[in-house]
Each structure stands twice: as structure tokens, then as C-alpha cells.
Amino acid sequence: MVKSVIRVDKIIFTSYITLMKILLSVKPDKFSFKNPLVLAMFEGEVNTSNFDLVADFLKLNPSFGKFADTQWLCIKGQNILLVGAGKKDKFDYAKLQNWAGIGVRFFLEKADEIEILVPPSELETHTITEAVSLGVEIAGHDIQVYKTEKKPVKLKSIQLLVEKNDRGFSEGLKKGLVLAEYINLARRLGDMPSNEMTPSYFLSVAKKVAKEQKLKITIIDKLKAKRLGMGGFAAIAQGSVQPSFLIALEYKGDVKSKDKWGIVGKGVTFDSGGISIKPSSGMHEMKYDMSGAGAVLAAMGVIAKLKPKVNAVGIMAVTENMPGSSAVKPGDIIKTYSGKTAEILNTDAEGRVILADAISFAQKDFKANILVDVATLTGAMIISLGDDIAGVFSNNPVLADQIIRLGKAVGEKFWQMPMDEEYDELIKSDFADFTNTGHGSSMPGAAGSITGAKFIERVIEKNHAWVHVDIAGTAWDMKPKAFRSVGATGFAVKTLVELLTSNK
Ligand code: BES
Ligand code: ZN
Ligand code: ZN
């Protein structure tokens, strides 16, 4: 039987990490089992398998099929990895992505090539291959860069077998690969140690993306930031011996529209807390405090490739937060780029301070009127929502709903937090316009994440829509998953891309 092959000619571009080669074809009538075949098994489904090996196994294991159950059946000339897909009515984008990832991670060190029989689902054809290819590439991301003794990764090629010859499948695959390339870039930057992933290194990557994708780049260094009146960014940057940068990447896809998105990311390449120094246990994880900027860089890279009809500027505020004789001190008063003054009560609440200036930069210098900032802003976010759901804070219910809805469709979860005016009390200052941390409530740190959002809200200009996304809990994950290595997750890239591509 001749396989009809829908080949996607240019498989992948990346100069950063080696990724899997993915081929797409219509499923054959008969399988050769030259390579292992990954097969989905839904929970509680009557077995309708044509494979006698699978039928025999299910007779003895009728409860098999819970999400992430795995069983390798490799006898009688057949070679099948059964991967549980969970309940059929719960099988959405995220489940499909992770299901494919489980198959890939299972064979990473075991096979050169595998085939994946893409399971049927309610999703559209392009969404199916987008999710599967993303799952494959996320699973293939290798974190062994710094190990001198690496586990050998064998898997190089993956054949996706789909139901029918449909252009949607190849289009989805192409988009999935673009997303994966940049999500894995954001993950690699997040996982890199801060001695290598300095603000200068981040800038070099942003320059590379700008050059490759023809995005206009504007760079403001520490000195210039101070001269321009960006007192917030300059105050945090002044404690570090490393050069610091505000980086802007511009994308123009709709000359007729006056609307411009400002996508702003917190890029603290290491957050020691500054003079209000953090406890040492767990401090190493503060290399991930640039994940917001990583997500913005990745989203701008994807946008430049997908070319939606939209205008956007991506701003990344990139600096270390360090203690030292030149560092900003508790009690210091700074003047932000918005013109408003802030009393620094705690130098560890640095994210909001640099973001305020980065957002003003987007509004004043790039005329952005729809603002989205993404930041690992508060530990309190993890206390409120845990590791899998990000907090959304907004002055605009329509924009907030849009983020939550679009995120849900691509497997990124958000929950909206309150922004009632009562919370404004918490950042009242006797000496400046407001303080950078909450105080005066019945418990220290009360409503910590909202306080951070309230600070940022003060620089949002009239009639501008704004959403702040706190990814403190979701940006990295030190619990190993069957579909993903530990470390940076690339959270928010997919939703930012959806936001910029679904508007017009
Ligand atoms: N980068 C941290 C927030 C953070 C902590 C993210 C743990 C992920 C995990 C941020 O700059 C910070 O230190 N925030 C302080 C604010 C406090 C001083 C008001 C915090 O959360 O403790
Ligand atoms: Zn901090
Ligand atoms: Zn921080």
C-alpha cells in the first residue's frame, strides 16, 4: 500500500538547539511496525482496536487509559506504545499536546524514529497538528547543555499519521513548529544561569531575532534611561555591575490602524532582592525572573513570522537586581518615567518599578494604547493560585476576558484577580505619590499580588486598556513531567500570540 504523503518541505529552522524532524502523512491501512507506533487509548472506551496485541492487553487491563498511562507492547512483530489519553470529553488542546509529548519523551533515548497515530478529536485539523507538533518539540527540548556526560538522545524523526489529506493539518504543523521554536528559545533563556544569561546576552539574542525577523530594535542603556527620566528602571539597574537595557522590538502589520499593542516583559536576569536581600534557600531559582521578557521576545519572534494584521511593540526591561554600595535602598524615592514618584520600601519589589517605566516607554515613545505586561512579579501569586494558573489583573474587563478565553483554548490557564479601589490604600505613601510595597493591612504581605498590580496601574494612561499577567507560579516547574523536562515552561507565549493574531 502506497502511503500518501503531505510533506512539509521546510521542516524547522533553529540555530539554538537540535529539534525533532516532523513528517506528516495520511495513516496507512496497514502498519509496517518498522518503527514504534504511539497509539492513544481513551479512558473507559470499549476496545475497538484492530491490533490484536492491544485487544489482548486491554482484556487484561480494562482500566488502562487514564491520562499519561503508558504501556509498551513489542511482540508478535508489532511495536506499539499505548499512551492513555484520559476521558474523551476532556481531550482538549493541552491534553493532545501533552499526550504527544509523553510518546516522544518515552522514546527519546530508545528509538531513532517513531510514528504517532494522531487520535481523533473535536478540534479543527490545523489545531490538532499545531498541538501535536508543539508537544513533540517541547518534549524534545534538551536541558543537558552544561552536562559533560550527557544521556544520548536517539530520537530524530517523527512521522505524524493523520486521518485524511487536509491542508489544515500541514498549516497547523507549520504554525506549531514556529511556536515551538520560540517557546523553546524562551525556555533555554530561562534555564540558562545568570552568569551567562546576563542582560547583555539577552540583548544579543534580541538583536539576533530582530535581524532575522526584520523587526526594528531600539535599545536604551542604563545611562540613557537615567538621562531620559526613567528613574525606576535606573534605580534598580544602578546596583548591578552588568550593563542593563530596555529593549523595544517593533512589528507593523496594519498601517491603517491607530491601535498598537504594547507587550511588556519583566527581564530581571537575577533577582537577589537587592538591599532587601532574599533568604538564600531557593534564591538560585531567581535566574528565572526574566521569564516575562523571554515570553515577550518569543511572542514577537512568532508574530514576525506569522505576520498578522496588527501593530505591536514588545518591550523588555532587562537588568539584574543586586545589593551593593551603589544599590537603591529602602526609603529612597524615585521619579518614574510617568512623572509620578515612588517610595521604595522594599528593594525586592523591583519588578513593578522597572515595569512601570517600561510601560510608560511603550505608551510615550511608541504610542501603544493596549498594554499587556507579563512578569514573575510576586511570590504571593504562587500562594494564591499555585503552579499551573497565572493571575490576570486589569482595568478592562473585555481585554481580561479575551486573555482568559484565548489562553484556555491553547492550554494556558488564567484567573482574574480583583482590582477594587480599596486596595489603593495599601500603597499610600506619606512622602511620595505611592509606595512600591503594600503596608498597613492586618497582615504583612496581604494581597501581595494585587498590590504589585496596583503599583503598575498608576502609570497606565487615560483610556488605555491594560492587563498585567503574573506568571510567578507558571514560568518554571521543577517537578518532572512525562511530557516536559524540568525548568522553564515558556508560559504565556502561546496566549500572547493568540492575542495578537486573533484580533484582526
Ligand atoms: N521575583 C520576585 C517574585 C517571585 C518570587 C517570583 C518567587 C517567583 C517566585 C519578586 O521580585 C519579589 O521578590 N517580590 C516580592 C515582593 C515583596 C517584597 C512585596 C515577593 O514576592 O516576596
Ligand atoms: Zn524581587
Ligand atoms: Zn523579581
Side-chain angles (χ1 to χ4, degrees), residues 137-340:
E137 298 293 342
I138 297 285
H141 175 74
D142 195 0
I143 59 164
Q144 302 180 92
V145 192
Y146 296 93
K147 289 198 184 265
T148 53
E149 285 175 31
K150 302 185 205 306
K151 283 190 192 163
V153 174
K154 280 180 85 179
L155 195 57
K156 279 173 208 72
S157 172
I158 288 134
Q159 183 93 241
L160 302 184
L161 304 173
V162 290
E163 285 293 317
K164 54 178 190 260
N165 202 331
D166 182 314
R167 269 190 62 192
F169 284 127
S170 47
E171 274 161 19
L173 173 56
K174 277 187 199 156
K175 183 177 169 199
L177 292 179
V178 173
L179 274 170
E181 176 190 343
Y182 283 98
I183 290 175
N184 280 340
L185 167 64
R187 293 173 74 200
R188 188 181 70 95
L189 295 178
D191 287 333
M192 278 179 77
S194 73
N195 56 329
E196 289 205 358
M197 225 298 296
T198 58
S200 306
Y201 181 81
F202 190 99
L203 174 64
S204 72
V205 179
K207 278 183 178 167
K208 189 169 187 283
V209 171
K211 195 166 174 217
E212 284 167 357
Q213 303 308 330
K214 300 187 177 60
L215 294 168
K216 188 175 172 211
I217 187 164
T218 307
I219 304 155
I220 308 285
D221 65 16
K222 230 187 269 205
L223 244 171
K224 189 156 185 211
K226 193 163 182 177
R227 255 191 274 127
L228 289 172
M230 299 170 166
F233 182 76
I236 303 304
Q238 76 191 32
S240 169
V241 292
Q242 295 287 342
S244 306
F245 307 99
L246 273 166
I247 308 165
L249 291 177
E250 273 178 281
Y251 169 81
K252 281 198 190 100
D254 189 1
V255 278
K256 284 200 203 113
S257 171
K258 279 214 171 88
D259 280 339
K260 191 177 214 176
W261 291 81
I263 311 292
V264 182
K266 171 177 174 182
V268 176
T269 60
F270 189 73
D271 181 11
S272 68
I275 296 294
S276 316
I277 199 158
K278 286 181 181 295
S280 53
S281 91
M283 201 204 268
H284 60 285
E285 292 192 6
M286 284 298 110
K287 68 176 182 176
Y288 290 111
D289 212 20
M290 40 54 68
S291 300
V296 168
L297 177 59
M300 291 307 292
V302 177
I303 291 306
K305 275 200 157 178
L306 299 183
K307 301 193 177 19
K309 208 171 165 221
V310 75
N311 301 317
V313 59
I315 310 263
M316 292 141 276
V318 193
T319 180
E320 288 185 331
N321 183 27
M322 297 296 281
S325 59
S326 61
V328 65
K329 304 172 293 297
D332 286 1
I333 293 174
I334 51 117
K335 188 166 190 171
T336 63
Y337 193 35
S338 70
K340 294 180 179 169

Side-chain angles (χ1 to χ4, degrees), residues 22-42:
I22 303 181
L23 300 168
L24 189 62
S25 32
V26 173
K27 72 171 184 189
D29 295 337
K30 212 170 167 3
F31 292 87
S32 71
F33 295 112
K34 203 171 97 244
N35 299 312
L37 176 73
V38 180
L39 200 65
M41 202 46 62
F42 287 97

Side-chain angles (χ1 to χ4, degrees), residues 51-58 73-76 78-80:
F51 305 101
D52 50 348
L53 192 61
V54 177
D56 289 351
F57 170 78
L58 291 173
L73 304 167
C74 191
I75 38 168
K76 291 199 219 164
Q78 299 182 20
N79 189 350
I80 296 173

